[in-house]
């Protein structure tokens, strides 16, 4: 089965930047979308950025203009470039695949911590 592994999290000051990576291993017949979610401490998980199979993207209003989602098919990797980070961006970030595979519609990474503070 497919596994997703995130990396690139860490601590940064407000206004700084980070790039998260999500590497996929295994085989998936079809991917409908590749997504980044985040979950702040004590809050519910929210969708941050989405890359749809046709190439279009969607962003949460709170990150639009600051975050960019992208993918590299040759490396089986997707990225989240985060610029102009704010304290309210502090959360655990998860990569996610929405697939067409019965019994494995949703594939989640383990999460990576992003902390933005002065």
């Amino acid at each position: 089965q497919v596994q997703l592994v995130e990396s690139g999290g860490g601590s940064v000051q407000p206004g700084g930047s980070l790039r998260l990576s999500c590497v996929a291993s295994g085989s998936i017949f079809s991917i409908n979308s590749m997504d980044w979610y985040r979950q702040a401490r004590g809050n519910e998980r929210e969708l941050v950025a989405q890359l749809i199979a046709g190439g279009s993207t969607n962003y949460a209003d709170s990150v639009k203009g600051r975050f960019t989602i992208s993918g590299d098919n040759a490396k089986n990797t997707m990225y989240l470039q985060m610029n102009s980070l704010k304290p309210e961006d502090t959360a655990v970030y998860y990569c996610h695949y929405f697939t067409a595979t019965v019994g494995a519609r949703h594939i989640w990474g383990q999460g990576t911590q992003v902390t933005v503070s002065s």
Side-chain angles (χ1 to χ4, degrees):
Q1 186 58 59
V2 172
Q3 292 184 322
L4 306 178
V5 179
E6 298 116 324
S7 63
S11 297
V12 65
Q13 294 183 348
S17 298
L18 287 172
R19 188 178 77 160
L20 306 183
S21 300
C22 176
V23 180
S25 63
S27 180
I28 304 177
F29 175 73
S30 180
I31 300 173
N32 296 319
S33 70
M34 299 185 294
D35 317 295
W36 286 98
Y37 286 76
R38 70 185 181 188
Q39 186 167 14
R41 186 170 54 193
N43 291 5
E44 296 184 0
R45 192 169 299 182
E46 64 173 342
L47 179 64
V48 175
Q50 181 177 64
L51 178 61
I52 299 174
S56 61
T57 58
N58 297 303
Y59 297 95
D61 289 341
S62 59
V63 308
K64 194 171 184 178
R66 299 187 297 119
F67 290 11
T68 303
I69 187 171
S70 62
D72 187 334
N73 291 337
K75 297 181 178 179
N76 295 118
T77 303
M78 69 170 177
Y79 305 94
L80 184 67
Q81 178 66 47
M82 305 184 294
N83 299 325
S84 302
L85 284 162
K86 305 174 180 179
E88 49 263 46
D89 295 319
T90 296
V92 177
Y93 284 72
Y94 300 88
C95 63
H96 168 262
Y97 282 19
F98 176 47
T99 80
T101 303
V102 176
R105 295 289 190 183
H106 300 277
I107 308 297
W108 292 94
Q110 84 286 353
T112 185
Q113 176 72 47
V114 172
T115 302
V116 185
S117 66
S118 59

